[in-house]
């Protein structure tokens, strides 16, 4: 297929895997992290689902003014330098250090246990979510998923975590999830009342447990005992992904004002250029001229899931 010519002059071109067919933006924690970060930073971008890896063999990667950058950490550093954005400007030195430590725990440890659950133990369900079309799509999906399974197992063994038993790996996963739940507590975001870069990382990974691993241990844990993590995921999904809706009969995470509106929805759109619909300063005042409502007609800022809902649920147990 002839490659489409891209003009990345003054535009962020985000290369990532195709959207899965279950309504979730991506089965890749790092792709979801990167796109969520762009929305948190209110940076317009264009998706390009070509499946082509970066020169370093990475996904996602970006092009900006014909400069190619791969690796989410390097992409964020690049955008901060070129465009002057900084989601961590409100953090002190200690908070920045904690934020980086949490990021590395999630990306270098928790990620591998999720990958095992997604591409090894739960491969049959994951295969259903992969989006491929054509007369041989089922065969191609089977081949793709089993190739990915082999790659994941080999890389996990090289990492070291793949040398443990399945039960031991799930023990490590649970420890990581409990650590995140304890760190979050009853705060709105990981580092406090304001969103920071680490939230894009944590959300990109926890969203896989929330919406792509039905019936598995991480899903049962996040929607059960560690429900504050589920509330956190819903909070970010509503604020930064207003067009992403999930058909879930469990309304535990739904606010009263949006539960009725969420029963009818349209599929996740692949925007040509996307910019988050609202930006707020530290006092909560609007500083952009774009619409300030989500798909329900409610303010995006006010439609966040509140921790009061979580406390009410705990009292009902």
């Amino acid at each position: 297929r002839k490659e489409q010519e891209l003009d990345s002059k003054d535009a962020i071109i985000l290369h990532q895997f195709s959207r899965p067919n279950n309504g979730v933006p991506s089965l890749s924690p790092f792709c979801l992290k990167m796109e969520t970060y762009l929305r948190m930073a209110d940076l317009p971008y264009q998706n390009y689902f070509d499946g082509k890896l970066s020169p370093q063999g990475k996904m996602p990667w970006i092009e900006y003014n014909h400069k190619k950058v791969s690796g989410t950490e390097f992409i964020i550093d690049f955008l901060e330098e070129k465009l002057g954005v900084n989601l961590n400007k409100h953090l002190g030195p200690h908070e920045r250090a904690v934020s980086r430590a949490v990021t590395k725990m999630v990306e270098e440890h928790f990620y591998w246990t999720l990958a095992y659950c997604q591409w090894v133990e739960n491969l049959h369900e994951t295969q259903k979510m992969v989006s491929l079309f054509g007369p041989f799509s089922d065969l191609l999906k089977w081949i793709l998923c089993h190739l990915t399974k082999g790659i994941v197992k080999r890389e996990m063994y090289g990492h070291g975590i793949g040398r443990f038993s399945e039960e031991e790996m799930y023990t490590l996963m649970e420890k990581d999830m409990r650590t995140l739940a304890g760190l979050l507590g009853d705060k709105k975001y990981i580092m406090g009342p304001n969103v920071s870069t680490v939230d894009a990382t944590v959300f990109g990974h926890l969203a896989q447990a929330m919406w792509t691993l039905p019936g598995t241990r991480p899903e049962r844990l996040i929607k059960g005992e560690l429900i504050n993590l589920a509330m956190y995921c819903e909070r970010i999904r509503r604020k930064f992904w207003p067009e992403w809706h999930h058909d879930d009969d469990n309304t535990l995470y739904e606010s009263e004002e949006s539960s009725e509106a969420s029963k009818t929805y349209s599929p996740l759109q692949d925007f040509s250029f996307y910019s988050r619909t609202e930006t707020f300063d530290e006092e909560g005042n609007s500083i952009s001229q774009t619409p300030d409502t989500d798909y329900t007609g409610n303010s995006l800022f006010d439609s966040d899931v509140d921790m009061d809902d979580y406390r009410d649920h705990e009292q009902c147990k």
Side-chain angles (χ1 to χ4, degrees), residues 117 173 177 208-225 246 248 253:
C117 188
M173 169 186 279
M177 293 182 71
Q208 307 304 317
M210 272 286 289
W211 294 295
T212 72
L213 297 171
T216 61
R217 296 192 205 183
E219 187 203 48
R220 293 195 298 270
L221 195 59
I222 196 173
K223 292 183 178 180
E225 187 177 349
H246 185 66
D248 192 341
Y253 321 111

Side-chain angles (χ1 to χ4, degrees), residues 36-312:
T36 301
Y37 171 85
L38 291 171
R39 291 172 176 234
M40 288 178 171
D42 202 12
L43 294 176
Y45 64 94
Q46 182 178 8
N47 277 314
Y48 197 59
F49 303 106
D50 57 346
K52 181 180 180 182
L53 301 178
S54 73
Q56 294 81 14
K58 292 284 189 178
M59 189 75 91
W61 55 286
I62 69 162
E63 292 181 82
Y64 181 78
N65 284 339
H66 306 291
K67 170 76 173 178
K68 298 179 180 180
V69 187
S70 68
T72 56
E73 184 172 355
F74 291 115
I75 292 173
I76 291 172
D77 289 344
F78 173 81
L79 294 176
E80 287 182 350
E81 178 183 352
K82 293 295 182 182
L83 302 178
V85 297
N86 188 352
L87 295 181
N88 298 331
K89 61 183 179 182
H90 61 284
L91 301 181
H94 175 74
E95 292 173 312
R96 289 172 185 259
V98 171
S99 179
R100 179 167 176 77
V102 172
T103 297
K104 293 301 111 179
M105 179 194 76
V106 170
E107 294 185 345
E108 305 296 338
H109 195 266
F110 181 49
Y111 163 76
W112 290 109
T113 58
L114 280 175
Y116 175 83
C117 188
Q118 191 172 47
W119 295 103
V120 179
E121 188 197 27
N122 205 45
L123 182 64
H124 180 68
E125 291 297 324
T126 301
Q127 184 176 324
K128 297 177 184 177
M129 302 176 195
V130 174
S131 181
L132 285 177
F133 302 97
F136 303 105
S137 59
D138 290 341
L139 175 61
L140 290 175
K141 282 199 291 186
W142 187 92
I143 294 173
L144 173 65
C145 289
H146 281 77
L147 284 174
T148 303
K149 174 182 177 180
I151 293 171
V152 167
K153 291 181 71 175
R154 184 172 67 249
E155 291 187 349
M156 287 183 68
Y157 190 84
H159 175 278
I161 198 170
R163 305 183 187 214
F164 296 111
S165 69
E166 179 179 295
E167 191 59 38
E168 288 171 328
M169 281 191 284
Y170 277 116
T171 297
L172 296 175
M173 169 186 279
E174 183 173 333
K175 286 184 177 181
D176 287 344
M177 293 182 71
R178 291 187 183 279
T179 297
L180 290 172
L183 182 62
L184 176 64
D186 62 357
K187 299 193 301 294
K188 191 172 185 179
Y189 301 112
I190 294 295
M191 302 308 299
N194 299 311
V195 72
S196 58
T197 302
V198 69
D199 291 298
T201 302
V202 174
F203 174 74
H205 288 72
L206 287 180
Q208 307 304 317
M210 272 286 289
W211 294 295
T212 72
L213 297 171
T216 61
R217 296 192 205 183
E219 187 203 48
R220 293 195 298 270
L221 195 59
I222 196 173
K223 292 183 178 180
E225 187 177 349
L226 306 182
I227 197 172
N228 67 326
L229 295 182
M231 301 285 288
Y232 168 80
C233 287
E234 279 289 352
R235 188 176 303 121
I236 292 179
R237 179 175 74 97
R238 295 227 186 120
K239 186 173 180 64
F240 298 104
W241 291 88
E243 79 283 13
W244 168 12
H245 317 296
H246 185 66
D247 187 14
D248 192 341
D249 291 334
N250 189 341
T251 58
L252 175 62
Y253 321 111
E254 301 286 342
S255 64
E256 291 182 1
E257 66 182 9
S258 63
S259 60
E260 290 299 320
S262 64
K263 292 180 181 178
T264 59
Y265 54 86
S266 56
L268 187 71
Q269 300 296 311
D270 293 335
F271 291 94
S272 176
F273 275 95
Y274 178 86
S275 180
R276 188 164 64 84
T277 55
E278 186 65 280
T279 302
F280 299 88
D281 60 20
E282 294 180 356
E283 285 72 37
N285 300 314
S286 173
I287 57 175
S288 69
Q289 303 299 317
T290 49
D292 62 352
T293 58
D294 64 8
Y295 70 99
T296 67
N298 299 312
S299 166
L300 285 176
F301 189 68
D302 295 333
S303 65
D304 289 347
V305 179
D306 212 337
M307 284 309 298
D308 290 338
D309 300 330
Y310 168 57
R311 297 189 187 95
D312 293 341

